[in-house]
């Protein structure tokens, strides 16, 4: 499981990769710098601010996700077949990887003194308090993690490592994954990025360890997000200061 396969047809960049990555970056920059221009229109069309935020995020991740799935369907099918041959490994290692992620993040947060929730985290909490779980789960647990694993693991490590040293790609993936989650709100301050650096490091580790298995890193990412969703819906609003 730990051997990294050599670059081949599945790890060659193609036109759909360019479309998916370009759409991801384009929409990300638009949301960061011009998203406020759409706010009045969205608020006039939708009942609440939470509904407007949900609609924007769903449109963003779904549009990128369609091209990502088309581009990576061969890898997805292969990786699912591999995981199906090791069901007990998958069922055991996914939750253990989530625990490792939480422990590493806690260590980094404690070591750096970063205890304030990021703007991204606060935004997710606010969104979930205004949108029912049956709408949130598909976005935060399935579509969002798949898009991010495709961009930050499959493209930046799986495919880019055919041209750049794998460990340099791993570092790029970890830093960009953390940076994109604070982009537009808090800049690139080290403290704001700390929790996401821990999360990104574990996702990179399991991706490389399992031989570039995109679906395994997706399951770990989805598992972590599902745990966060369950905790936020289970805890009373007063816990978050609402």
């Amino acid at each position: 499981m730990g051997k990294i396969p050599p670059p081949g047809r599945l790890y060659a960049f193609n036109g759909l990769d360019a479309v998916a990555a370009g759409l991801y970056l384009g929409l990300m920059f638009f949301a960061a710098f011009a998203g406020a221009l759409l706010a009045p229109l969205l608020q006039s069309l939708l009942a609440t601010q939470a509904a407007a935020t949900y609609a924007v995020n769903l449109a963003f991740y779904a549009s990128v996700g369609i091209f990502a799935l088309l581009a990576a369907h061969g890898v997805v099918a292969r990786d699912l077949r591999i995981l199906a041959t090791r069901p007990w490994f998958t069922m055991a290692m996914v939750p253990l990887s989530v625990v490792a992620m939480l422990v590493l993040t806690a260590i980094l947060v404690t070591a750096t003194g970063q205890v304030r929730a990021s703007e991204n985290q606060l935004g997710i909490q606010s969104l979930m308090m205004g949108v029912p779980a049956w709408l949130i789960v598909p976005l935060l647990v399935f579509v969002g993690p798949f898009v991010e694993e495709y961009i930050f693991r499959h493209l930046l490590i799986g495919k880019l490592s055919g041209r750049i040293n794998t460990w340099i790609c791993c570092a790029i993936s970890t830093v960009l994954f953390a940076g994109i989650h604070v982009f537009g709100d808090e800049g690139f301050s080290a403290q704001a990025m700390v929790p996401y650096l821990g999360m990104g490091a574990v996702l990179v580790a399991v991706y490389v360890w399992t031989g570039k298995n995109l679906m395994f890193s997706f399951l770990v990412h989805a598992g972590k997000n599902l745990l966060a969703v369950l905790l936020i819906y289970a805890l009373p609003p007063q816990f978050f200061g609402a």
Side-chain angles (χ1 to χ4, degrees):
M1 290 295 290
K3 184 179 179 181
I4 301 175
R9 184 175 60 84
L10 292 179
Y11 294 101
F13 285 99
N14 56 51
L16 286 172
D17 290 325
V19 172
L23 188 60
Y24 182 86
L25 291 174
L27 291 175
M28 185 67 69
F29 276 100
F30 178 82
F33 296 110
L37 299 176
L38 292 177
L41 175 61
L42 290 172
Q43 289 178 10
S44 67
L45 295 175
L46 298 168
T48 64
Q49 177 62 39
T53 302
Y54 176 82
V56 169
N57 279 276
L58 181 63
F60 172 80
Y61 281 105
S63 59
V64 177
I66 290 171
F67 288 101
L69 186 58
L70 289 173
H73 71 278
V75 170
V76 169
R78 182 206 62 181
D79 290 352
L80 286 175
R81 287 196 298 270
I82 292 173
L83 293 180
T85 66
R86 302 167 172 85
W88 293 110
F89 170 88
T90 303
M91 287 188 288
M93 292 310 300
V94 167
L96 286 176
S97 298
V98 173
V99 171
M101 183 185 298
L102 296 175
V103 170
L104 177 59
T105 300
I107 292 172
L108 292 175
V109 167
T110 302
T112 59
Q114 163 63 6
V115 295
R116 178 175 57 87
S118 69
E119 292 296 324
N120 181 73
Q121 171 114 22
L122 293 174
I124 290 175
Q125 291 171 1
S126 176
L127 174 64
M128 291 177 62
M129 290 176 186
V131 177
W134 65 272
L135 287 174
I136 285 291
V137 169
L139 175 62
L140 294 186
V141 179
F142 295 104
V143 184
F146 177 76
V147 168
E148 292 185 353
E149 290 311 300
Y150 164 80
I151 295 289
F152 294 102
R153 255 58 70 183
H154 181 60
L155 293 188
L156 289 182
I157 301 177
K159 295 199 171 187
L160 190 59
S161 62
R163 305 182 182 187
I164 301 176
N165 178 272
T166 298
W167 306 113
I168 294 176
C169 293
C170 290
I172 292 172
S173 171
T174 303
V175 173
L176 290 184
F177 175 78
I180 208 73
H181 283 85
V182 299
F183 179 71
D185 293 316
E186 302 157 285
F188 289 95
S189 77
Q191 279 200 327
M193 292 170 61
V194 164
Y196 299 106
L197 287 172
M199 182 178 178
V202 172
L203 289 170
V204 164
V206 299
Y207 178 74
V208 173
W209 177 56
T210 55
K212 294 183 180 178
N213 194 299
L214 172 64
M215 297 313 293
F216 188 85
S217 64
F218 160 74
L219 289 174
V220 175
H221 194 156
K224 185 268 178 186
N225 281 14
L226 177 60
L227 178 61
V229 167
L230 293 174
L231 288 175
I232 290 176
Y233 278 116
L235 293 172
Q238 293 82 357
F239 184 85
F240 302 103

